[in-house]
Amino acid sequence: MKFLMIASFLPSVLNFRGKLIEQIHAQGFEIHILAPDLELFENERQKLENLGYKLHKVSMQRTGTNPISDVKTLFEIYKLIQKIKPDYVLSYTIKPVIYGTLAAWLAKVPRRYALITGLGYAFQNVETNNKRSIFQKIVHGLYQQALSHSHKVFFQNPDDLKLFQDLKLIKTNIPAVVVNGSGVNVADFNVLSLPLALDQKIKISFLLIARLLVDKGVREYAEAAKIIKDKYPDVEFNLVGWIDENPSAITQQELDQWVAKKTVKYWGKLTDVRPAIAECSVYVLPSYREGTPRTVLEAMAMGRGIITTDAPGCRETVIDGDNGFLVEVKSVESLVEAMEKFIKQPELIEKMGKRSRNIALTKYDVHQVNKHMMQEMELI
């Protein structure tokens, strides 16, 4: 039996789906992975091939809406699927879900699944504004067509599922399942001691890990950092990430200014985020919307209290006042207020961190999440 995963970014296969395909492989399935730009990720490619998986390159632009290029992508995926002859296909992220699912249907793959990991700029302001741009209408129409040919669609939070249903992007006869994000391997993210200041008290140190996009709340984080540091100069603000090729990316000039003014300590892009999490006492993600934010789960597994937004995907990870605080989307004032609670009541840092670890263990363990998905795909 053959299982094919279609992705738009090879490193995410290892980082976000690695344990899932490992468990599927353990069931005796031959694993195939289809993704673009394999030559750019030699390290990840080698690791996946060493695990016995077969990789296939496809032309696919992660961003951009060139119809000729996208038709070429659809045709290439179709030809590769005909050659591989998989029994199961799972696609995730926008272009693999749309073109991968359509190609799998055209190639008559017996079992076709789609995973909606987040909505991105194709759904920006859709809930607050009844008007949709021409671009959004096209993308939503493509989603509707593709998902109508899937056997089951996985969502990472109930809000995304409801939005797809409200927009009629998923038909009532197509089963939809909400899973607890991508999960986190709690064995790899152990609880580490909180960082200490020179006086041996807990150091107040905030951290944000994200692609440096506007809708990740990076600007709100930097603004809050300026306000807090004016009142509490010893408080630290760390930032991990990179400027992505995305319409909503912040500018290099903005980042350079934050670093020059020592508003944030910039770590750059990390392949292993654990050292950065270990150096923080509170993790912050002011995102406008997520599937289920993996970085939050990793910080929770390492015993850190969380500040995140009361937004789809984010709100599922925090019980307000228990393992952290929920703040208003796009509100610097709300973010500052939550940060000050940790500064004024440092005992919350350890208390909420312990609760985070407990929630990670009981709700987000990657093995439980993957078992749920495999059962729903009838792989076990």
Side-chain angles (χ1 to χ4, degrees), residues 83-148:
K83 178 183 172 185
I84 298 164
K85 293 184 170 54
D87 302 282
Y88 295 78
V89 168
L90 173 65
S91 306
Y92 71 96
T93 68
I94 181 168
K95 290 197 176 182
V97 164
I98 290 172
Y99 303 116
T101 306
L102 287 172
W105 167 64
L106 290 169
K108 298 181 171 58
V109 175
R111 304 298 293 173
R112 303 179 294 274
Y113 301 100
L115 170 61
I116 310 299
T117 54
L119 302 188
Y121 60 88
F123 289 85
Q124 240 173 18
N125 303 319
V126 168
E127 285 171 304
T128 54
N129 186 347
N130 288 328
K131 293 181 181 177
R132 287 185 278 174
S133 67
I134 293 172
F135 163 73
Q136 286 176 324
K137 287 178 181 177
I138 292 169
V139 173
H140 296 177
L142 289 168
Y143 260 125
Q144 188 180 56
Q145 282 298 311
L147 297 182
S148 69

